[in-house]
Amino acid sequence: MKRTVLIGLFVLLSEWHLFAIPTDSLLHDSITKQLTIEEVQVTARRKTDNIMPVQRLSGERLQQLSVQSVADALRYFSGVQVKDYGGVGGIKTVDIRSMGSHHLGVFYDGIEIGNAQNGTVDLGKFSMDNLEEISLYNGQKSELLQSAKDYGSAGTLYLRTRRPVFKDGKRYNLQAGMKAGTFGLANPSILYEQQLTDNLHLSANAEYTYATGRYHFRRHQVYPNGTTAWDTVGIRQNGDVQSFRAEAGLFGYLPRGKWHVKGYYYQSEKGIPRAIIRNVWTSSQRQWDRNSFVQGSFQDEWDLGARRIGDGHRKLQWLVSGKYSNDYMRYLNPDTTLMYIDNRFTQHEVYLTTSLQYDIFSWWGVSLSSDYQFNSLYASLVHFPYPRRHTGLVAAATAWHYKWLRAQASVLSSSVKDEIKRSTQQTQHAAEQLQRFTPAVFVSYQPWLREELYIRAFYKKVFRMPTFNDLYYTDVGNISLRPEDATQYDAGAEYTKAFTFGTGALRGLQLHLKADGYFNQVNNKIVAIPKGNSQYRWQMMNLGYVEIIGVDANAGLVFAFDYDVQWDVQMTYTYQRAKDLTDPTDPLTYGGQIAYIPLHSGSVTSCLSWKEWSLNYSFIYVGERYHNSANIPMNYEPSWYTHDLALSKLFHFRTWSLSTSVEVNNLLNQQYDIILNYPMPGLNGKLVLKAMF
């Protein structure tokens, strides 16, 4: 009877998006399994269930990096380009495999972070202190029990926050931290966890960030003959930021399942540093943000018994999630020499998802997922269309594995309907309606069962609708924009090998190699280009057709020596040829590398640890680029690189411990821009203290 009721509820939600009247926000969840990060040892890796390429930073390794935000950490992944508009408060977005930031789904504790207004997620808003793992998937996760939204992006980024873990009979954890550094940085934080019962845990944390954002930079221009046109040094202005973030969550555990409810609040006020143009760098633009959401999920499992001896037990798993979010943003430009602007935007989002997974045999499973999402946008603009969007998603997937072969296939149905009106007195009317089906197929082959060598390939089609700003925003929106369609092809291999040695100073070695080649085709690619010297105003356009050929390579070595010495080295390399093939009659842009995509990029991280000491070094390199598809000298952007160094020590006392870290970033004080005319900080440092009780 219980199973019948659950299936009935699932079918009802599957059809809901066809006729439901929305209320106000969103939610989604694909729950990840609870993990406890143990002390790092050189051991063989657990046999992977991942068919798709995945990159991870977790546990101590994640905390050891000299980074302030999630966007900074993602620079150490291959195939990723981070667009940073300068300074502590500058916008930070991520582009994966030259597909654009809109094709990257960002999930926070299993539920996607949405932004119907402009489609991008500013990863500078998310703190590293409360994160336990960052995972980046090309394609999609290998799990069947996940929302339909998980199937809808070219790549997915999962941010998993810390879940309470209690050791030694303790019923609470308390952690207080403080970061202080250059540019006036002050960043206190606090975390409290309480074990209410054996199966119910509470977690609450908060942090405050303040920074002046003032740093020196150098600008110079050199003529083609090598002579200097001009050379000046300035101080970055209007880059200050004040922000406050608070989260609280309840985590419950069932005999075969789990649930959680989380509330999130973030607010900030920051200056928007302008582009350095014509030797002018002062700015008075300000931005206020207020983001809040409540989300939750419930997951359970039923054992249906075995069909026959040897078939394994059939299982039925159910996942349901929901979310409501409210986002407010105010932008002020009091400079009347440009144009006085004081605009306010409010977004509401409601999201519901449910998913059923049925394991027919131990080696074969199927799933069906259904999502409904409603978005609305209000603005203090004249003749604003007040858009509302209804999105319905249904995904069917199956996964099969037998000894050396694993495969997964899925198809996603997407229904999108927009409604607009020209004034608050007018009624809503349909503006755009779209229906798409996007399939995906993934295969992984293990030639030798005793060797951790996997050869894989996948094919996936995705699309993305233009955002509200793309379509409707005054002086920026382009209602004639067409949806982007993308096709991905990928083939790669992954190999892991662990060695142990009985004698000598070197006791163990672990080797991990991974490489993927890919070919992406993007039709009607939508590109956002800053308009003038503001980060707020953009020009939207379809490029037409883009082809992307690339290679992502990763190599990792972990050495274990005598006397508790361990050395961990990780290296990444990316090659990307992203061609604009829109107009064969345009000799300047046809075949040119699209804006801000380097041919070559890579990183190296190294961690040398001994007992409670660790020395961390990181190097990031981004090759030559152009800020326009016309790859001519006047659009050329030089390569840049940074060296970062951090020394940390953990002190143990009778009832508490203290973690200390001293970080030096951009060690050689290189002057560089990630985005043209938005200079990045030079040499800077930070002191980090964290007390754990």
Side-chain angles (χ1 to χ4, degrees):
M1 178 64 182
K2 183 188 292 186
R3 200 184 333 159
T4 304
V5 172
L6 292 178
I7 294 174
L9 287 172
F10 176 82
V11 173
L12 178 63
L13 183 55
S14 298
E15 300 301 324
W16 185 28
H17 66 82
L18 297 178
F19 47 79
I21 299 177
T23 55
D24 241 352
S25 199
L26 105 54
L27 170 27
H28 144 173
D29 191 324
S30 72
I31 298 222
T32 53
K33 294 185 178 179
Q34 181 179 353
L35 296 177
T36 300
I37 304 298
E38 301 293 345
E39 183 180 355
V40 177
Q41 299 289 341
V42 180
T43 57
R45 291 195 175 199
R46 185 176 57 185
K47 187 172 182 177
T48 180
D49 289 328
N50 290 312
I51 303 176
M52 285 66 96
V54 57
Q55 301 178 73
R56 285 194 180 95
L57 283 171
S58 60
E60 292 182 4
R61 190 63 173 151
L62 180 62
Q63 299 301 324
Q64 288 165 350
L65 295 177
S66 300
V67 296
Q68 181 68 21
S69 70
V70 173
D72 297 331
L74 289 176
R75 293 175 182 170
Y76 298 101
F77 287 163
S78 60
V80 169
Q81 292 81 43
V82 176
K83 293 184 178 180
D84 190 328
Y85 291 85
V88 179
I91 296 173
K92 297 172 176 60
T93 62
V94 173
D95 181 1
I96 180 173
R97 291 186 170 181
S98 304
M99 302 283 284
S101 58
H102 297 80
H103 281 286
L104 180 68
V106 181
F107 293 78
Y108 195 74
D109 282 338
I111 299 175
E112 187 173 29
I113 301 167
N115 188 339
Q117 181 180 351
N118 58 36
T120 61
V121 177
D122 183 1
L123 294 173
K125 294 180 178 180
F126 297 96
S127 169
M128 297 292 295
D129 282 346
N130 193 39
L131 285 183
E132 194 168 75
E133 182 178 86
I134 299 176
S135 303
L136 179 66
Y137 288 81
N138 291 299
Q140 63 200 36
K141 283 199 304 184
S142 303
E143 298 177 12
L144 287 180
L145 192 68
Q146 58 186 6
S147 70
K149 262 192 172 292
D150 287 76
Y151 297 94
S153 301
T156 47
L157 173 66
Y158 292 89
L159 309 178
R160 181 161 60 85
T161 61
R162 169 174 169 151
R163 290 174 177 261
V165 176
F166 303 96
K167 298 181 179 180
D168 303 324
K170 289 180 61 179
R171 298 188 65 87
Y172 77 93
N173 296 319
L174 177 62
Q175 180 176 291
M178 181 65 185
K179 297 178 183 177
T182 47
F183 322 137
L185 175 66
N187 179 205
S189 62
I190 189 167
L191 168 72
Y192 179 75
E193 298 171 336
Q194 178 70 52
Q195 186 179 26
L196 302 177
T197 69
D198 290 343
N199 296 317
L200 183 62
H201 301 163
L202 168 70
S203 176
N205 65 89
E207 73 168 337
Y208 171 78
T209 301
Y210 171 82
T212 63
R214 293 169 60 87
Y215 55 87
H216 289 83
F217 65 90
R218 178 188 174 192
R219 310 293 294 169
H220 67 282
Q221 179 68 47
V222 179
Y223 289 122
N225 61 9
T227 61
T228 299
W230 53 269
D231 193 341
T232 187
V233 175
I235 298 177
R236 199 71 166 122
Q237 303 288 339
N238 202 44
D240 63 292
V241 59
Q242 293 187 66
S243 67
F244 173 76
R245 177 190 60 84
E247 295 182 55
L250 280 174
F251 303 87
Y253 300 94
L254 307 171
R256 289 179 174 268
K258 57 187 175 182
W259 60 269
H260 85 270
V261 177
K262 169 168 285 193
Y264 176 95
Y265 179 81
Y266 173 88
Q267 72 173 33
S268 69
E269 177 188 351
K270 61 185 178 183
I272 301 179
R274 64 173 289 164
I276 307 301
I277 299 174
R278 300 183 183 93
N279 208 28
V280 177
W281 52 78
T282 58
S283 173
S284 55
Q285 300 170 36
R286 309 289 296 175
Q287 181 171 316
W288 292 261
D289 290 283
R290 185 175 65 243
N291 311 109
S292 59
F293 64 74
V294 178
Q295 67 181 37
S297 67
F298 176 87
Q299 179 181 339
D300 209 352
E301 175 184 308
W302 295 271
D303 190 338
L304 305 181
R307 289 181 182 272
R308 299 185 303 271
I309 297 176
D311 281 345
H313 281 230
R314 295 171 295 155
K315 290 190 301 183
L316 179 66
Q317 299 180 69
W318 181 45
L319 173 66
V320 60
S321 305
K323 178 178 181 179
Y324 168 77
S325 67
N326 181 296
D327 299 323
Y328 168 83
M329 189 263 281
R330 178 192 176 195
Y331 170 79
L332 174 66
N333 180 13
D335 187 357
T336 55
T337 61
L338 296 172
M339 182 172 62
Y340 180 84
I341 300 174
D342 188 357
N343 291 339
R344 294 167 172 84
F345 299 88
T346 301
Q347 294 187 69
H348 297 282
E349 189 171 280
V350 176
Y351 176 72
L352 291 172
T353 177
T354 186
S355 179
L356 281 173
Q357 176 182 338
Y358 177 49
D359 294 336
I360 303 172
F361 301 104
S362 59
W363 46 270
W364 182 26
V366 295
S367 72
L368 187 64
S369 305
S370 180
D371 299 2
Y372 170 74
Q373 179 176 316
F374 168 73
N375 297 93
S376 64
L377 178 63
Y378 302 87
S380 60
L381 300 175
V382 178
H383 304 305
F384 190 70
Y386 302 99
R388 293 153 48 124
R389 175 170 292 174
H390 305 263
T391 304
L393 306 170
V394 177
T398 183
W400 177 89
H401 67 90
Y402 178 74
K403 293 183 179 179
W404 40 267
L405 185 64
R406 293 176 178 269
Q408 181 173 325
S410 63
V411 61
L412 173 66
S413 169
S414 304
S415 303
V416 182
K417 180 182 179 181
D418 280 5
E419 297 172 344
I420 62 172
K421 59 183 177 181
R422 288 299 175 185
S423 72
T424 54
Q425 286 74 37
Q426 292 178 325
T427 58
Q428 298 285 149
H429 64 275
E432 182 78 18
Q433 189 162 359
L434 179 140
Q435 176 76 47
R436 290 289 175 90
F437 293 91
T438 49
V441 178
F442 301 81
V443 178
S444 176
Y445 170 64
Q446 185 181 10
W448 301 282
L449 294 179
R450 294 186 178 182
E451 291 290 337
E452 292 292 308
L453 172 64
Y454 299 90
I455 301 171
R456 57 172 175 253
F458 77 77
Y459 158 85
K460 184 175 184 179
K461 289 189 71 69
V462 295
F463 89 100
R464 74 118 172 152
M465 281 289 292
T467 65
F468 287 160
N469 275 5
D470 294 344
L471 293 168
Y472 309 121
Y473 186 70
T474 306
D475 196 40
V476 176
N478 180 358
I479 200 166
S480 64
L481 282 176
R482 299 176 298 277
E484 266 186 28
D485 290 286
T487 305
Q488 300 171 270
Y489 304 88
D490 181 284
E494 185 170 358
Y495 178 69
T496 302
K497 185 73 173 180
F499 305 90
T500 56
F501 309 104
T503 59
L506 181 61
R507 294 297 186 176
L509 168 66
Q510 181 173 284
L511 171 68
H512 182 219
L513 302 173
K514 180 169 60 175
D516 283 270
Y518 50 89
F519 175 59
N520 300 331
Q521 297 171 297
V522 184
N523 286 290
N524 303 321
K525 184 171 179 62
I526 300 171
V527 173
I529 299 174
K531 191 174 183 180
N533 59 22
S534 168
Q535 296 181 33
Y536 178 74
R537 304 181 64 194
W538 304 76
Q539 178 182 356
M540 312 307 303
M541 54 186 288
N542 283 109
L543 271 185
Y545 178 62
V546 173
E547 284 187 355
I548 304 152
I549 299 174
V551 175
D552 292 345
N554 301 69
L557 288 168
V558 182
F559 302 89
F561 300 94
D562 276 339
Y563 307 108
D564 298 322
V565 176
Q566 183 167 289
W567 185 28
D568 185 345
V569 181
Q570 305 292 326
M571 295 165 283
T572 69
Y573 168 75
T574 299
Y575 168 83
Q576 288 188 88
R577 186 71 174 93
K579 300 180 182 179
D580 178 0
L581 302 178
T582 300
D583 186 2
T585 64
D586 187 345
L588 286 179
T589 63
Y590 187 75
Q593 186 86 343
I594 64 176
Y596 293 111
I597 303 299
L599 277 176
H600 307 280
S601 60
S603 69
V604 177
T605 63
S606 172
C607 176
L608 182 64
S609 60
W610 172 68
K611 296 183 178 180
E612 307 297 344
W613 289 87
S614 67
L615 178 64
N616 299 276
Y617 164 79
S618 61
F619 168 78
I620 296 175
Y621 170 81
V622 173
E624 301 169 334
R625 304 149 294 148
Y626 294 88
H627 61 257
N628 192 288
S629 293
N631 296 173
I632 56 179
M634 66 179 299
N635 295 331
Y636 173 80
E637 292 295 308
S639 61
W640 61 269
Y641 56 86
T642 61
H643 301 267
D644 303 324
L645 201 62
L647 177 65
S648 61
K649 172 72 167 70
L650 181 63
F651 298 92
H652 291 286
F653 301 95
R654 180 174 298 179
T655 58
W656 63 289
S657 58
L658 177 67
S659 173
T660 62
S661 178
V662 178
E663 302 175 2
V664 181
N665 302 315
N666 198 354
L667 195 61
L668 301 184
N669 195 33
Q670 190 190 42
Q671 303 295 305
Y672 67 101
D673 295 2
I674 296 179
I675 301 297
L676 176 65
N677 296 323
Y678 286 89
M680 296 295 293
L683 176 68
N684 63 92
K686 186 166 53 178
L687 173 64
V688 182
L689 301 175
K690 189 180 297 182
M692 294 154 284
F693 301 89

